[in-house]
């Protein structure tokens, strides 16, 4: 076992349990575990196992977890009963496990300060000062805004100013931990007048060429990257924000400045100059080595440079010494470079059409890229037959075969182009009543478009309640954030078939004061990019239209992320007491409660079958039914909870 004094419990993977400890009875466990990086571990159960160490013998608790390629871990719970001979233990030293100990300043709390560099902001000659009044802050957030302004001032990120010709209103964004982030709406002040930084962003192909032959990879992620760079004193006046507490100027590079990517990239290239096997794209650094020794040497050299430069890393986002990592939308390993599976997942996992509207969307995409597919019309004949007049919808074996063959041919063709920073990029997005889809393309020299990646997903129940305007805006944000590495730091075109978004999310439009909170947040997210928003008719938006009408179903993780949105509320819409009370009034859940408490009867009604199949996973806490870490909410309360989540 690997001794880990940082682990609170001792764990063993299911494979080792089945090979070594299958004779030890496995019981249900109430333990809820997560890794150092925050990833939840699936607990299969626990056992009391006989252990022997030297002359010592004991019976100790052992948690069985569903993981692969991981060692068994001896944690602190065993150390209270076992007296280990620490001097005789083998030391596991891969050269990277001790990174946080060797470079504690890199992973320290707070924001780092990049030494020797300052951001300078230059405006065009025709720039006219823009001064905006502070926007009203909701009463419920006023105290949090004041506390956040005090924190930023104490950390030296902002400083008060008495007067300024420039002043941007603030936008308040809630974070997952119910705290807030304050951002300036620079779209209405300096962004239209900024002289763009001409520093060239790295070419993806050049980056990957420098990584060829690497067997071991480490990926480092910066903590609040731009905030680690100080702003030149002469430029701070342009970054003034107007709040209820007065005027404040940023002393660090804030989020939302469109020239920030170029300024930051220049600084990082200088910090890491002359280092082989190392590539940096904005806040992502990749280190590769052909051997463990070479990898570890390069990694420590990079960490030394970053430490001397005063930078900070986000520990939970870093990946140390992996045989494969995903970087800029590609999988990098010793065999070379290949597109990440998720680039094609939207097509690969697209379900069969269930009506003529969905079928037309699918055929539209195939025709759009038909020049890459031989014998297209012959292949699709069974599908076109369903679109003829006076033909009823009947999806049979011929149609299913044609659908699968068309998808397979599309996936196996080499129509997916490599990402190239020198070619124009377009991101077409669309929303249907039940899904959102997007297609990222390059505009080729002949004016044609060739796809880089596809994406789609279904809408959650809360999102299906959005107005059409919000669904279309969600489609834009959905893939701008997903394709962030492709889009940040360069100019691109966003394409929508919903004309009202041009006024709300246009690059030169301010965040509308009366717009819904989510639209304000989304507009702020877009302000950090250099984009044009273009309208096209729905008929011309074939590729995104297909993906929104045949979206990939949202998986459990996606749903959980949406459910967790309830944590953003000021207070929960219902209490545990409310749930317990209504649970006893619900005729079905009351029986489930009793059966969970006293055991299931051999024969249960049809209504109880869904719960019976999960009987071993149901528990009771404070009078509430739990399925894993999820509360089963009675029907009467579901509307209240979902409405609160939707409004938030």
């Amino acid at each position: 076992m690997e001794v880990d004094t940082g682990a609170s419990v001792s764990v063993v993977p299911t494979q080792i349990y089945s090979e070594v400890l299958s004779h030890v009875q496995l019981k249900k466990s109430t333990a809820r575990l997560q890794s150092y990086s925050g990833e939840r571990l699936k607990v299969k159960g626990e056992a009391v196992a006989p252990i022997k160490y030297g002359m010592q013998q004991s019976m100790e608790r052992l948690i069985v977890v569903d993981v692969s390629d991981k060692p068994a871990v001896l944690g602190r719970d065993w150390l209270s009963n076992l007296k280990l001979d620490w001097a005789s233990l083998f030391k596991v030293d891969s050269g990277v496990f001790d990174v946080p100990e060797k470079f504690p300043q890199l992973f320290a709390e707070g924001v780092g300060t990049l030494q020797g560099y300052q951001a300078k902001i230059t405006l065009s000659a025709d720039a006219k000062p823009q001064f905006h009044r502070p926007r009203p802050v909701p009463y419920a957030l006023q105290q949090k805004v004041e506390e956040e302004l005090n924190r930023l001032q104490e950390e030296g990120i902002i400083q008060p100013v008495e007067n300024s010709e420039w002043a941007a209103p603030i936008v308040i964004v809630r974070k997952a931990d119910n705290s807030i982030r304050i951002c300036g709406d620079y779209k209405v002040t300096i962004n239209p007048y900024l002289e763009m930084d001409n520093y060239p962003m790295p070419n993806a192909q050049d980056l990957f060429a420098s990584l060829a032959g690497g067997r071991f990879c480490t990926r480092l992620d910066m903590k609040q990257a731009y905030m680690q760079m100080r702003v030149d004193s002469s430029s701070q006046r342009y970054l003034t924000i107007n709040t209820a507490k007065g005027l404040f100027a940023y002393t660090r590079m804030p989020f939302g400045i469109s020239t920030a990517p170029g300024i930051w990239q220049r600084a990082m290239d200088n910090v890491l100059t002359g280092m082989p096997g190392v590539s940096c794209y904005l806040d992502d650094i990749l280190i590769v080595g052909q051997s463990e020794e070479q990898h570890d040497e390069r990694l420590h050299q990079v960490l030394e440079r970053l430490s001397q430069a005063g930078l900070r890393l986000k520990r939970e986002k870093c990946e140390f010494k992996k045989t494969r990592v995903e970087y800029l939308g590609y999988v990098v390993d010793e065999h070379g470079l290949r597109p990440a599976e998720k680039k094609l997942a939207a097509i690969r996992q697209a379900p069969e059409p269930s009506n003529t509207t969905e079928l037309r969307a699918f055929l539209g995409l195939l025709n759009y890229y038909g020049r890459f597919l031989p014998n297209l019309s012959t292949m699709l004949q069974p599908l076109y037959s369903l679109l003829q007049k006076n033909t009823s919808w009947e999806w049979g074996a011929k149609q299913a075969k044609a659908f699968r063959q068309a998808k397979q041919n599309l996936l196996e063709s080499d129509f997916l182009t490599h990402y190239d920073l020198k070619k124009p990029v377009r991101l077409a997005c669309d929303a249907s009543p039940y899904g959102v889809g997007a297609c990222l393309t390059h505009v080729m020299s002949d004016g044609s478009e060739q796809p880089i990646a596809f994406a789609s997903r279904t809408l959650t129940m809360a999102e299906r309640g959005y107005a059409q305007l919000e669904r279309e805006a969600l489609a834009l944000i959905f893939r701008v954030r997903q394709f962030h590495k492709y889009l940040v730091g360069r100019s691109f075109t966003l394409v929508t078939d919903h004309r009202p978004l041009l006024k709300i999310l246009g690059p030169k439009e301010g965040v509308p004061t009366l717009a819904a909170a989510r639209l304000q947040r989304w507009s702020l997210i877009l302000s950090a990019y250099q984009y044009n928003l273009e309208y096209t008719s729905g008929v011309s938006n074939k590729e995104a239209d297909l993906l929104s009408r045949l979206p990939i179903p949202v998986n459990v993780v996606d749903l959980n992320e949406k459910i967790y949105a309830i944590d953003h509320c000021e207070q929960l819409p219902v209490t545990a007491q409310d749930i317990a009370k209504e649970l006893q009034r619900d005729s079905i859940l009351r029986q489930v409660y009793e059966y969970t408490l006293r055991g299931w009867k051999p024969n249960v009604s049809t209504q109880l079958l869904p719960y019976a199949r999960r009987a071993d996973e149901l528990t009771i806490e404070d009078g509430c039914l739990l399925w894993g870490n999820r509360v089963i909410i009675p029907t009467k309360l579901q509307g209240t909870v979902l409405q609160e989540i939707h409004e938030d």
Side-chain angles (χ1 to χ4, degrees), residues 583 586-596 600 605 607-608:
L583 188 142
D586 189 302
S587 59
I588 295 176
L589 292 182
R590 185 173 65 250
Q591 294 180 61
V592 176
Y593 184 94
E594 293 295 325
Y595 289 163
T596 305
W600 287 82
S605 68
Q607 290 177 307
L608 299 181

Side-chain angles (χ1 to χ4, degrees), residues 368-369 371-372 415 417 426-428 439-444 446-451 495 534 540 543:
Y368 188 80
Y369 297 115
R371 57 199 170 97
F372 300 99
F415 79 110
T417 188
R426 287 168 61 89
L427 178 60
C439 179
L440 187 69
T441 62
H442 267 320
V443 180
M444 311 308 283
D446 60 358
S448 63
E449 293 182 39
Q450 198 161 342
V495 182
E534 180 181 298
S540 304
E543 64 275 27

Side-chain angles (χ1 to χ4, degrees), residues 177-192:
D177 60 359
N178 206 30
S179 61
I180 64 169
R181 181 170 70 238
I182 294 176
C183 304
D185 185 9
Y186 295 110
K187 289 202 303 181
V188 297
T189 55
I190 63 171
N191 274 0

Side-chain angles (χ1 to χ4, degrees), residues 15 36 45 76 94 121 161 184 261 279 293 303 312 314 371 404 430 475 487 492 500 507 546 579 642:
Q15 182 179 355
Y36 181 83
R76 293 196 304 269
S94 71
I121 295 174
V161 295
S279 69
E293 293 75 17
L303 296 176
R312 300 274 171 86
K314 190 181 295 182
R371 57 199 170 97
R404 291 193 301 269
D430 190 46
L487 304 176
F492 64 96
L546 159 72
I579 296 174
L642 292 175

